[in-house]
Amino acid sequence: MKLKENIKYLYFIFILVAGGVVFYFREPLSVAAQNVLKPYRQAVDFSGNSVLADETDAEDVSGGDGPVQSVSGGDISGGDSGMPEDVSGGDGVANGAEQPAWEYMTVDETWFDDALFIGDSRTVGMAEYGGLDNATFYASTGLTIYKLFTAEIVPVEGSKQKITIEEALSQRQFAKIYLMIGINEMGTGTVETFMEKYTEAVARLQELQPDAVIYLQAIIRVSSERSAKGDYINNEGIDLRNEEIAKLADNEKIFYLDVNPIICDEDGGLEKSYTFDGVHLMAKYISLWKEFLMEHAVKFN
């Protein structure tokens, strides 16, 4: 009789305990029991071998359904997690810089079939020794920015007559215009007055040749020995003008090219072995200038 009462009390206590477990875990009793036994089942399999890993070891979740995937070596590009996907080949902003609007390309001499060179005696040297018989040259020894459109220097075919660059540009259109001028102006006015006329000249070229790409070439420096003579022709003055010329380039229809690093020595002067007078390139070195131009043809993307 006492045994039955004890069993009844034990059964009643079991019911209370079970009810408490269900209420605490908000789970079915069978699930709650599995949770209670889970640590034991993880620690020891039924063969008696321990299977509990070191608590510091991370599980491989690269193939799981959780919110985070392994990024140590797994592919995360196709997962459903909240981690960002691989964007190295996509179209997003994170892919890197956008493709530039233009870039330099290397061309051959045929590039100059529709090109015009305008300049002074240095450009005359290019016309005579550059091997660009297919290009057009409006150049004259002593030409300055102040007389660029008024000096009659352009020969008229089949005649001894010459016309101005302004008149010639009104009659024929070019795809590219290479302008180098400024060495003869060094002893006249200031950098500011020079640039005022230079800027006006570039604007006028655009008016006369609206479809042309204009290459503003830096004034070629003189040799260090020539620069040190102390007169108006010196590399300091040339550099000041080149700095201002470069500012006119909009990298859309006007581009700035500086051949000086190719033909100057470590002191910044024109390599003395390349020149016969400290100012002009020898005929056999004009090819360096031409090759530079051929390696800096603008290609629009």
Side-chain angles (χ1 to χ4, degrees):
M1 185 72 176
K2 194 169 185 177
L3 179 59
K4 288 182 178 182
E5 290 179 358
N6 289 339
I7 292 174
K8 186 193 302 184
Y9 288 134
L10 289 174
Y11 179 76
F12 178 74
I13 292 172
F14 178 81
I15 293 298
L16 290 177
V17 171
V21 170
V22 171
F23 179 81
Y24 180 81
F25 287 100
R26 304 294 199 278
E27 296 174 326
L29 183 59
S30 60
V31 176
Q34 290 179 8
N35 288 335
V36 171
L37 294 174
K38 184 177 180 179
Y40 174 77
R41 295 178 64 183
Q42 287 181 332
V44 181
D45 68 12
F46 290 101
S47 65
N49 298 319
S50 174
V51 296
L52 185 62
D54 191 321
E55 293 180 359
T56 61
D57 290 344
E59 295 183 17
D60 181 8
V61 296
S62 61
D65 298 325
V68 181
Q69 293 180 322
S70 172
V71 297
S72 62
D75 179 9
I76 65 170
S77 60
D80 298 326
S81 72
M83 294 290 286
E85 296 184 3
D86 180 6
V87 297
S88 61
D91 298 324
V93 176
N95 293 339
E98 295 181 0
Q99 185 178 20
W102 62 275
E103 60 186 328
Y104 289 127
M105 63 178 176
T106 300
V107 298
D108 58 24
E109 284 88 347
T110 60
W111 168 262
F112 302 100
D113 287 349
D114 53 7
L116 168 66
F117 287 79
I118 299 176
D120 49 39
S121 57
R122 286 161 158 180
T123 302
V124 170
M126 173 67 82
E128 294 179 347
Y129 305 109
L132 294 177
D133 297 334
N134 55 323
T136 301
F137 290 84
Y138 297 165
S140 176
T141 300
L143 185 65
T144 68
I145 197 69
Y146 305 108
K147 297 181 179 180
L148 189 65
F149 294 108
T150 59
E152 296 179 342
I153 66 170
V154 182
V156 177
E157 188 175 355
S159 170
K160 293 183 179 181
Q161 180 187 1
K162 291 185 178 182
I163 60 176
T164 65
I165 290 178
E166 174 115 13
E167 293 175 291
L169 292 179
S170 299
Q171 299 173 9
R172 180 180 175 184
Q173 294 295 304
F174 296 90
K176 310 114 182 174
I177 297 177
Y178 289 85
L179 174 66
M180 181 189 287
I181 200 164
I183 191 66
N184 296 316
E185 297 89 323
M186 293 293 293
T188 304
T190 63
V191 175
E192 290 73 25
T193 57
F194 167 76
M195 285 307 304
E196 181 180 349
K197 295 301 293 184
Y198 193 104
T199 303
E200 290 176 2
V202 172
R204 185 58 179 150
L205 287 175
Q206 288 188 297
E207 291 175 4
L208 294 167
Q209 302 283 307
D211 297 324
V213 174
I214 300 176
Y215 294 88
L216 304 180
Q217 299 184 81
I219 304 168
I220 293 177
R221 297 190 190 112
V222 297
S223 67
S224 297
E225 182 178 313
R226 178 66 185 85
S227 181
K229 282 190 174 181
D231 59 13
Y232 60 90
I233 298 180
N234 57 75
N235 287 329
E236 181 180 359
I238 291 174
D239 288 345
L240 289 174
R241 285 161 175 77
N242 283 341
E243 288 174 8
E244 297 303 313
I245 291 173
K247 294 177 182 178
L248 297 180
D250 60 12
N251 292 332
E252 294 179 358
K253 293 299 290 290
I254 304 174
F255 296 85
Y256 176 73
L257 297 179
D258 186 359
V259 71
N260 281 303
I262 305 299
I263 57 177
C264 290
D265 58 27
E266 59 185 10
D267 296 323
L270 179 61
E271 172 60 51
K272 64 180 181 179
S273 64
Y274 292 173
T275 178
F276 57 89
D277 62 357
V279 177
H280 299 86
L281 285 168
M282 291 181 184
K284 63 180 179 179
Y285 293 110
I286 287 178
S287 61
L288 297 175
W289 177 11
K290 183 183 75 171
E291 289 170 5
F292 171 81
L293 297 180
M294 291 170 62
E295 293 170 355
H296 290 80
V298 170
K299 172 188 176 183
F300 294 98
N301 296 321

